[in-house]
Amino acid sequence: MGLCLLPPGSPSQRVQFILRTKEDERHVPHHLFSELDEICVKEGQDAEWKETARWLKFEEDVEDGGERWSKPYVGTLSLHSLSELRSCISSGTVLLDICANSIEEIADMILAQQEQSTEFDEHARAKVREVLLRKHHHQNEKTNNLLPAVCSLADVSKRQSDLFMKKIPTGAEASNVLVGELDFLHQPIVAFVRLSPAVLLSGMTEVPIPTRFLFVLLGPEGKAHQYHEIGRSMATIMTDEVFRDVAYEAKNEADLVAGIDEFLDQVTVLPPGEWDPSIRIEPPKNVPSQEKRKMPGALDDSASHSTLEKHSGPELQRTGRLFGGLTLDVKRKAPWFWSDFRDGLSLQCLASFLFLYCACMSPVITFGGLLGEATNGHISAMESLLGASMAGVVYSLFAGQPLTILGSTGPVLVFEKILYKFCKEYTLSYLSLRACIGLWTAFLCIVLVATDASCLVCYVTRFTEEAFASLICIIFIYEALEKLSHLRDTYPVHMHSKLDFLTSYYCKCEAPTHPSNETLRFWESNKINVSGIAWENLTVTECRYLHGEFQGPACGRDGPYTPDVFFWCCILFFATFALSSFLKKFKTSRYFPTGVRSTVSDFAVFLTIVIMVLLDFMVGIPSPKLHVPHTFKPTRDDRGWFISPIGPNPWWTVLAALVPALLCTILIFMDQQITAVIVNRKEHKLKKGCGYHLDLFMVAVMLGVCSVMGLPWFVAATVLSITHVNSLKVESDCSAPGEQPKFLGIREQRVTGLLIFVLMGCSVFFTSVLKFIPMPVLYGVFLYMGVSSLSGIQFFDRLKLFWMPAKHQPDFIYLRHVPLRKVHFFTVIQLICLVLLWTIKVSRAAIIFPMMVLALVFVRKAMDFCFSKRELSFLDDLMPERKKKLDDARNEAGEEEEESQKATEAAAAAAASSVQLNVGKTSDLDIPKQSSDRTDPSEIIILDEMSQTTTWKAESL
């Protein structure tokens, strides 16, 4: 018959029943630190207990030289040693919840349980007691060294024991495993002790934590290796989360045996001919949760992939009331308001602020410069700085998701160009008409907030998110490279120069031989006497101002060749990208203490900018620098800081402005909400909730204010927001040796965004400092942000599969459940959508870009006819890849449990009857006894032993 149904009273069900019992204060599980001490007593030798291995989560061994610990690794156990351990527990002494204050009392209790015999008389008993009381030598107790001054750099500040103690969780207890061979013993002594309460046994453990469990195995000489492996098995199994809980909850030795049997159910056997047992397995980056082993059916709902996951949190539930969603957002975020400022008081937030200030300054100024060119200076860099500062400060203070960073967008620039051209052709006031459109757009956005329109975000799936985010990341990368290439026009390179003729190369200014009409008008208007100018003595700037021409073999189109400047810009650009990437990954380096590595990683981009600025200053090559307006006033003298919505325009323009306002509303809504969805992903583990309605409301309010003041419009910037979130990731401080720090979430606060935009508004007063920042360095930062934001986008992982043979493809969860041709088909559709978005973005039709982003939602809906729901649940959801793998493992493990739901209650009842036993009589029940000729655990016949477990009995059916 099949093995999918668990028999009543199986180890898994019995363990689950044990763990379902109500906990009391004495049996609350704690983190365990396991230590293996060994001894070898031979006649005429004064031996002591020596620490040979330890476990906090993974195994660490004392190397053969005895001078250092090994790297943490996943302990591999033999099936034989686990069977021997099971025999030890079932046939040895088990003392549960004994009260003892010293190792002397514990030794007396253990020896009191041993039967008197001719081979184990009072003399042998006294010698065993003396061995148990011997001193313990730990690895951190250094012996005298011939070269005491020689030590590693990492050990200078603190002792190793103090550093290791920091890795042990608060409240942890110890599990001491003592094994060894004694030459005077003829039969082994085995004891498992659980103390209640835990006691600090002086000198027993390498770190000063109380001991809860003690396992003793002393046997005749000649079997040291077997005893060592049994000790390793005991210490390893005590670090298993499920068996640890069983050890705390066990009522008798039968419960402990059931815990070992359940552990055997879960182990994976490696064939001896296909694996080298001496290889140390590196600790995994992620360890699956063990809750499935504890609670049957607990994860059935989360493991199901039959329906597509949506953004169905309480933030996106339609209320049916005007401003109902906004009201709930305010109520949800208000309790966290003050904590948003307290949580921002950290070194990580300082690093994030310094990085993003530099990252935000350049695009704001560049966008302002482009607006100034497009609008003839009506809105330029000064207006852009002020608008970004005002909108950013208000948004950071009052928005529902302050992790979002506001910025300018390409479609807004296209819209401004079209609007200015329209106003110029029809002699309308550009700023007044723009104010009307902005006020209408703000009003329509508020209407969307009032009607809970943000609930429509639930239809934006990973398909749309990734297409939009990928496009923005690619634009960042493309524009960074494009800006670098444009520097070649400003600083041209002589591609075919001959080194031997360098002395004859020259470039001088001359009067134009055929001046254009524009040049003639310029000379006339400025009353310039062309014949009286010494053209050959003019500087490059003066020659360009007077519309002169550059002549000579060392001249480019717009001036002399300056190859050193362009190539130095390339060096700064790529060095910034490379150094930022290297320092960001420095956290996982092997060098320097954890605190130093973490600080360097947090300040990676800021340190890079400082290093590049100093390098540029020392080299002295005149690279282009960041230009910040140095006076606080409007760019044009004919405009002020407040714009009348009507102004000189006809009254009907106020109503006509409603039409372009509809398009602007779609643009603002899509840009803002898709970025908000990306920031609020479940994989970011945000704890303070989000506020889609409140976010849109604040953007609408500031859009209206900026319109009236004649400032640019700002909305959520995707790449900057993703970078902001990534810079605030929080990982666990306390982690076991070898254990990867756990991602805990994002440091949710308002301080970084607030400081970024406050300092941006004050930048006009820092021009003396900011003028030293080379533009190629900022372009390199853009490249870094674009590339780093691509990580974690599943679309690019799937794109690489086209060029990978099947045997080399990564073990992605969707490749397990979705045919490869369907995966490629899904990727091709997404790629086509991305190409279309890019085409529209760079064309004159860029103003309809938001409509195309909206169209992706309908494309995704149409894909329901091409893919099954199960396929889409793996290819298109918001779950991170690592979590999907975990759920997949749980889902596969839960299939058996789903088929046995009808038998669960009967099995639990059977398990209950089997564990309601009187303590002290367990030897007559359920526990397989050994014959008298097999008292030594090292002589177990594994086939005989395994056949006695309920697991193997079930499989034999």
Side-chain angles (χ1 to χ4, degrees):
M1 61 183 295
L3 297 177
C4 60
L5 294 177
L6 294 173
S10 68
S12 296
Q13 292 175 337
R14 184 163 184 170
V15 164
Q16 290 163 3
F17 178 82
I18 294 170
L19 299 182
R20 281 201 301 268
T21 58
K22 187 176 181 180
E23 297 179 353
D24 53 36
E25 294 182 358
R26 296 190 308 166
H27 298 126
V28 176
H30 295 71
H31 291 280
L32 282 181
F33 165 69
S34 296
E35 179 180 317
L36 174 61
D37 290 3
E38 298 185 47
I39 196 170
C40 179
V41 176
K42 295 184 179 180
E43 188 175 356
Q45 296 182 4
D46 187 17
E48 63 179 359
W49 292 99
K50 289 187 178 181
E51 183 182 16
T52 58
R54 66 185 182 189
W55 290 255
L56 190 52
K57 188 173 183 65
F58 301 103
E59 182 174 353
E60 295 176 86
D61 295 338
V62 177
E63 301 287 20
D64 291 340
E67 293 295 327
R68 58 180 296 237
W69 286 106
S70 69
K71 287 182 59 179
Y73 66 95
V74 179
T76 53
L77 308 174
S78 69
L79 203 56
H80 192 272
S81 65
L82 287 170
S83 177
E84 291 171 334
L85 175 63
R86 184 184 188 279
S87 174
C88 290
I89 297 296
S90 61
S91 61
T93 300
V94 176
L95 301 175
L96 301 180
D97 295 333
I98 67 170
C99 182
N101 296 317
S102 64
I103 186 61
E104 290 84 358
E105 294 182 31
I106 297 173
D108 291 338
M109 291 182 181
I110 291 175
L111 293 174
Q113 299 295 319
Q114 307 303 314
E115 296 180 1
Q116 187 80 17
S117 66
T118 56
E119 296 179 346
F120 191 69
D121 53 14
E122 289 299 327
H123 178 67
R125 190 183 299 269
K127 292 177 71 175
V128 170
R129 186 179 189 276
E130 187 266 334
V131 169
L132 290 174
L133 301 184
R134 287 191 180 181
K135 180 184 176 182
H136 291 253
H137 175 77
H138 301 110
Q139 176 62 18
N140 60 355
E141 299 171 4
K142 300 292 184 182
T143 58
N144 292 332
N145 198 313
L146 296 177
L147 297 174
V150 180
C151 58
S152 66
L153 183 63
D155 295 333
V156 171
S157 58
K158 290 187 179 182
R159 296 173 54 195
Q160 287 185 356
S161 57
D162 296 334
L163 294 174
F164 182 71
M165 188 65 190
K166 292 182 179 180
K167 295 182 177 293
I168 299 179
T170 304
E173 296 176 340
S175 169
N176 293 97
V177 180
L178 307 179
V179 300
E181 52 179 352
L182 310 182
D183 60 350
F184 57 84
L185 281 184
H186 300 282
Q187 60 181 8
I189 297 175
V190 182
F192 179 88
V193 179
R194 184 176 70 199
L195 301 176
S196 183
V199 177
L200 182 62
L201 301 176
S202 179
M204 174 73 75
T205 311
E206 97 171 76
V207 286
I209 59 175
T211 295
R212 172 70 71 169
F213 299 98
L214 194 68
F215 177 77
V216 179
L217 171 58
L218 301 174
E221 62 176 335
K223 297 183 175 61
H225 180 70
Q226 288 91 327
Y227 300 155
H228 171 77
E229 290 301 318
I230 294 173
R232 285 186 62 245
S233 299
M234 185 72 246
T236 302
I237 201 173
M238 289 300 293
T239 60
D240 178 67
E241 182 181 335
V242 176
F243 183 83
R244 178 200 65 192
D245 293 354
V246 170
Y248 271 97
E249 297 285 346
K251 301 294 189 298
N252 47 52
E253 61 195 62
D255 290 350
L256 294 173
V257 172
I260 296 176
D261 288 342
E262 193 277 339
F263 182 84
L264 285 168
D265 277 352
Q266 306 298 325
V267 297
T268 301
V269 179
L270 296 173
E274 301 177 14
W275 179 255
D276 182 1
S278 64
I279 294 177
R280 291 174 176 174
I281 303 176
E282 290 285 335
K285 292 184 178 180
N286 296 290
V287 180
S289 172
Q290 304 300 309
E291 291 301 317
K292 182 66 178 178
R293 294 168 60 190
K294 299 179 184 179
M295 300 290 291
L299 298 174
D300 286 348
D301 292 336
S302 65
S304 173
H305 299 286
S306 58
T307 60
L308 185 64
E309 182 180 348
K310 294 183 180 181
H311 314 280
S312 55
E315 304 89 355
L316 295 177
Q317 298 296 326
R318 190 177 294 277
T319 62
R321 306 188 305 273
L322 283 178
F323 296 102
L326 177 64
T327 304
L328 292 179
D329 281 352
V330 173
K331 291 180 179 178
R332 187 182 303 110
K333 298 298 294 187
W336 300 102
F337 187 75
W338 294 115
S339 71
D340 284 342
F341 294 94
R342 292 194 301 270
D343 295 343
L345 303 178
S346 72
L347 198 63
Q348 185 183 27
C349 291
L350 176 63
S352 176
F353 149 65
L354 292 174
F355 160 36
L356 281 164
Y357 167 70
C358 299
C360 293
M361 272 292 296
S362 180
V364 167
I365 294 175
T366 303
F367 180 75
L370 294 174
L371 266 180
E373 295 176 3
T375 63
N376 196 22
H378 284 84
I379 301 176
S380 194
M382 186 66 247
E383 290 79 11
S384 184
L385 272 178
L386 179 60
S389 179
M390 288 178 51
V393 167
V394 173
Y395 188 88
S396 298
L397 283 174
F398 304 112
Q401 184 48 273
L403 294 175
T404 303
I405 298 293
L406 299 187
S408 49
T409 62
V412 170
L413 178 61
V414 174
F415 174 79
E416 300 279 10
K417 288 180 179 180
I418 296 174
L419 181 63
Y420 180 77
K421 185 178 180 181
F422 174 83
C423 292
K424 189 175 182 180
E425 289 179 358
Y426 293 94
T427 62
L428 297 174
S429 172
Y430 161 69
L431 290 178
S432 295
L433 182 58
R434 181 181 180 277
C436 289
I437 296 174
L439 290 174
W440 274 117
T441 303
F443 171 75
L444 292 175
C445 287
I446 293 175
V447 170
L448 293 177
V449 173
T451 56
D452 293 347
S454 295
C455 295
L456 297 174
V457 170
C458 65
Y459 293 102
V460 178
T461 65
R462 193 184 192 104
F463 176 87
T464 306
E465 282 180 46
E466 288 192 340
F468 182 78
S470 299
L471 176 67
I472 303 300
C473 292
I474 292 173
I475 288 174
F476 254 69
I477 296 171
Y478 173 79
E479 289 186 350
L481 296 171
E482 184 184 38
K483 291 178 186 298
L484 179 67
S485 66
H486 283 172
L487 291 178
R488 185 175 177 180
D489 299 332
T490 308
Y491 306 98
V493 179
H494 193 186
M495 298 298 295
H496 304 289
S497 61
K498 296 180 180 181
L499 299 180
D500 197 37
F501 292 99
L502 289 179
T503 54
S504 62
Y505 288 146
Y506 66 91
C507 182
K508 63 181 181 179
C509 183
E510 294 180 355
T513 54
H514 302 286
S516 63
N517 294 332
E518 181 183 356
T519 300
L520 293 174
R521 284 194 298 268
F522 174 78
W523 288 345
E524 183 179 355
S525 62
N526 290 277
K527 300 180 180 180
I528 296 174
N529 184 10
V530 179
S531 60
I533 297 176
W535 291 92
E536 65 276 2
N537 295 327
L538 296 180
T539 64
V540 173
T541 303
E542 292 171 341
C543 185
R544 286 173 178 164
Y545 173 74
L546 295 174
H547 292 209
E549 292 181 351
F550 294 97
Q551 298 292 333
C555 290
R557 288 183 301 173
D558 300 318
Y561 290 125
T562 51
D564 53 345
V565 176
F566 175 71
F567 289 117
W568 176 241
C569 291
C570 292
I571 292 173
L572 289 175
F573 177 79
F574 290 107
T576 300
F577 171 73
L579 189 57
S580 297
S581 303
F582 171 75
L583 293 180
K584 194 64 181 178
K585 296 177 182 177
F586 195 70
K587 196 171 191 176
T588 58
S589 172
R590 299 170 185 261
Y591 304 100
F592 299 101
T594 305
V596 174
R597 288 187 276 114
S598 180
T599 303
V600 170
S601 178
D602 290 339
F603 285 86
V605 179
F606 179 72
L607 287 175
T608 300
I609 294 175
V610 171
I611 292 171
M612 291 296 113
V613 169
L614 293 176
L615 185 62
D616 179 73
F617 179 78
M618 289 187 295
V619 172
I621 296 178
S623 58
K625 302 297 192 293
L626 177 66
H627 295 289
V628 181
H630 57 279
T631 54
F632 184 75
K633 66 174 186 178
T635 305
R636 289 174 62 111
D637 296 331
D638 59 350
R639 59 151 293 179
W641 287 121
F642 295 97
I643 308 299
S644 170
I646 299 180
N649 293 336
W651 64 267
W652 54 265
T653 57
V654 176
L655 301 178
L658 179 60
V659 177
L662 289 172
L663 188 60
C664 289
T665 302
I666 298 175
L667 185 153
I668 298 296
F669 181 83
M670 295 301 295
D671 270 2
Q672 173 65 35
Q673 299 298 44
I674 291 181
T675 302
V677 166
I678 295 173
V679 171
N680 294 323
R681 279 179 174 174
K682 289 185 178 180
E683 60 206 64
H684 290 153
K685 298 183 179 180
L686 302 180
K687 300 178 179 62
K688 297 183 180 180
C690 48
Y692 293 95
H693 311 283
L694 182 56
D695 289 344
L696 185 59
F697 179 77
M698 297 311 305
V699 168
V701 170
M702 292 312 300
L703 192 146
V705 172
C706 289
S707 299
V708 173
M709 295 184 65
L711 305 178
W713 300 332
F714 292 91
V715 71
T718 306
V719 172
L720 290 174
S721 300
I722 294 175
T723 305
H724 189 209
V725 170
N726 291 337
S727 68
L728 294 172
K729 287 184 176 180
V730 179
E731 295 178 337
S732 57
D733 294 328
C734 180
S735 57
E739 182 182 17
Q740 297 290 332
K742 294 181 180 178
F743 172 66
L744 302 179
I746 306 297
R747 197 179 297 278
E748 301 173 64
Q749 40 72 48
R750 300 178 183 271
V751 176
T752 52
L754 182 63
L755 290 178
I756 288 168
F757 291 105
V758 167
L759 195 60
M760 187 179 294
C762 300
S763 295
V764 291
F765 307 109
F766 304 143
T767 53
S768 59
V769 176
L770 297 176
K771 68 181 181 180
F772 289 104
I773 301 179
M775 289 304 295
V777 172
L778 296 179
Y779 299 156
V781 172
F782 294 163
L783 179 64
Y784 167 76
M785 289 193 299
V787 172
S788 62
S789 298
L790 288 177
S791 62
I793 295 182
Q794 189 193 88
F795 167 67
F796 286 92
D797 293 333
R798 286 186 273 104
L799 205 59
K800 290 184 287 188
L801 295 178
F802 282 103
W803 295 274
M804 286 188 190
K807 63 180 179 180
H808 296 302
Q809 291 175 354
D811 185 25
F812 293 134
I813 189 62
Y814 48 82
L815 292 180
R816 298 183 186 179
H817 301 276
V818 183
L820 186 59
R821 56 182 176 81
K822 284 292 192 75
V823 174
H824 287 336
F825 183 40
F826 186 90
T827 307
V828 167
I829 295 176
Q830 205 168 12
L831 181 61
I832 292 173
C833 293
L834 180 60
V835 171
L836 289 176
L837 286 177
W838 172 267
T839 304
I840 293 173
K841 181 81 172 178
V842 298
S843 67
R844 294 183 178 180
I847 196 169
I848 67 168
F849 173 76
M851 300 296 294
M852 296 306 300
V853 175
L854 182 62
L856 291 181
V857 177
F858 297 97
V859 173
R860 167 60 188 82
K861 186 64 178 176
M863 292 171 65
D864 288 341
F865 300 100
C866 305
F867 299 88
S868 66
K869 287 186 177 181
R870 179 174 175 80
E871 291 171 344
L872 288 174
S873 70
F874 286 101
L875 291 171
D876 181 27
D877 62 0
L878 299 176
M879 210 172 293
E881 186 62 34
R882 56 183 179 275
K883 187 177 178 184
K884 289 285 288 179
K885 285 187 177 180
L886 213 100
D887 285 347
D888 178 57
R890 293 170 179 167
N891 196 20
E892 292 178 354
E895 290 179 358
E896 296 181 357
E897 194 68 30
E898 292 175 1
E899 296 179 9
S900 61
Q901 286 296 321
K902 296 181 180 180
T904 301
E905 295 181 0
S913 63
S914 65
V915 298
Q916 293 175 353
L917 308 172
N918 295 325
V919 177
K921 297 183 181 180
T922 58
S923 59
D924 298 330
L925 299 166
D926 285 355
I927 303 177
K929 289 188 176 182
Q930 298 189 73
S931 59
S932 58
D933 60 339
R934 268 206 282 137
T935 56
D936 191 338
S938 64
E939 298 176 357
I940 294 294
I941 301 176
I942 191 169
L943 292 178
D944 294 345
E945 185 64 30
M946 296 306 293
S947 64
Q948 299 180 48
T949 67
T950 53
T951 304
W952 294 93
K953 288 179 181 178
E955 294 189 0
S956 64
L957 298 178

